[in-house]
Amino acid sequence: MVRSADEANVFPDVKVASIQMAPRIGDKAANLQQSIDLIEEAARQGAVVAVLPELANTGYVFASRQEAFALAESVPDGESSRAWLDVARRCNIHVVAGIAERVGDRLFNAALIAGPKGYIGTYRKLHLWGDEHLFFESGDLGLPVFHTELGRLGVVICYDGWFPEVYRLLAMQGADIVCMPTNWVPMPGQASGQMAMANTLAMANAHANGLNIICADRVGIERGQPFIGQSLIVNEQGWPIAGPASKDGEEILYAAINLRKSRSARHLNAFNCVLRDRRDDVYDPMLGTGWPLPRY
């Protein structure tokens, strides 16, 4: 059915961008400038949301906790946060950027959420991968959903995407778009030519929860660790609407998201809705978190 002009104005498409880049370990100034250049390019192309990779300003493979600590910054008043807040304001765009966050003597693998009006919030990665356990604390801010003029944004980082509970709790809180800064690495047993496991998981969780997911990966090899690229934007029905990107090139993916369509997509047909059909007589609808049931 064709939407009326009034309806299209009330529920306009939201253009989003997934920025795939290759940060260099320890070169914060160059990484930060490149990220700003790419955000500005995304804004010129009409994007109002831009997602950067995990640890976009520092690189990922730290040699020691001391190196990680030296590269980390406070959020939102550190140098990188201020620069991302400035470009968000100047370019009238929302930015989700992976950063190593320093809080006293603690470090978190985090993401800054910035908008045209300033600082929106921080997400801290819940599920640490591999050597991250040597450098970071597990996230302690839960799974916030950030209410913006564009809609409701959730954030996950990389390995968080392996846990379906994460997406379900974001969906139960009414998230429309999930932004994923990530640094995907090759998975054991992955046969050549197959879709990346990370892509499969994003598609499955988008479909099961009626969520749009913007995955922004990095590329390159850092201190012997390869990264797989293949950034992806998935719609609320689980289908890719941009990407996967290349395995080794820097690029920006763009896609249009309509929130009216996204929210109604949770109704699969006249009988079934993926959130309404949960058997909360069998399992806790909020997965034991103690969070209040949402009101739709």
Side-chain angles (χ1 to χ4, degrees), residues 30-273:
N31 296 335
L32 184 59
Q33 185 58 56
Q34 183 188 21
S35 74
I36 291 170
D37 292 344
L38 292 168
I39 292 166
E40 290 173 342
E41 173 60 22
R44 284 192 292 270
Q45 298 302 318
V48 292
V49 178
V51 183
L52 293 170
E54 180 179 9
L55 301 175
N57 64 331
T58 61
Y60 181 85
V61 185
F62 302 116
S64 65
R65 179 175 168 81
Q66 288 76 15
E67 180 183 45
F69 193 84
L71 291 169
E73 302 178 17
S74 58
V75 175
D77 54 350
E79 176 186 7
S80 297
S81 294
R82 294 197 308 271
W84 286 325
L85 285 161
D86 177 67
V87 72
R89 177 187 56 78
R90 287 190 292 104
C91 294
N92 196 37
I93 193 170
H94 292 74
V95 175
V96 179
I99 186 171
E101 180 191 14
R102 184 193 304 163
V103 182
D105 291 333
R106 297 182 299 160
L107 297 179
F108 294 95
N109 187 336
L112 167 79
I113 301 90
K117 297 178 182 178
Y119 171 69
I120 295 174
T122 301
Y123 171 72
R124 293 173 179 163
K125 187 175 184 178
L126 294 177
H127 305 91
L128 302 180
W129 174 265
D131 285 355
E132 290 177 43
H133 289 86
L134 302 176
F135 312 123
F136 297 115
E137 312 293 333
S138 296
D140 60 357
L141 298 179
L143 286 163
V145 171
F146 303 98
H147 292 247
T148 77
E149 59 266 38
L150 302 177
R152 299 185 286 261
L153 303 182
V155 181
V156 301
I157 298 177
C158 200
Y159 187 44
D160 288 331
W162 265 248
F163 297 85
E165 299 90 345
V166 166
Y167 292 106
R168 178 51 49 89
L169 287 171
L170 289 172
M172 288 295 292
Q173 295 178 84
D176 298 302
I177 300 171
V178 176
C179 303
M180 180 194 287
T182 188
N183 280 183
W184 291 327
V185 299
M187 294 301 294
Q190 181 95 45
S192 176
Q194 288 186 341
M195 177 179 287
M197 179 59 71
N199 287 175
T200 301
L201 291 170
M203 293 169 61
N205 282 293
H207 177 79
N209 294 285
L211 293 169
N212 301 277
I213 304 176
I214 308 168
C215 307
D217 195 14
R218 63 160 293 171
V219 291
I221 299 174
E222 188 175 275
R223 290 177 173 166
Q225 174 63 65
F227 298 92
I228 68 170
Q230 300 172 75
S231 298
L232 186 71
I233 304 175
V234 184
N235 73 6
E236 74 289 332
Q237 294 181 324
W239 302 115
I241 51 175
S246 68
K247 296 179 181 180
D248 53 10
E250 296 182 299
E251 58 187 288
I252 305 177
L253 300 177
Y254 298 100
I257 293 171
N258 186 274
L259 297 189
R260 181 185 181 94
K261 179 181 176 184
S262 296
R263 292 178 184 179
S264 64
R266 290 171 177 169
H267 295 267
L268 302 177
N269 55 48
F271 298 97
N272 297 109
C273 171

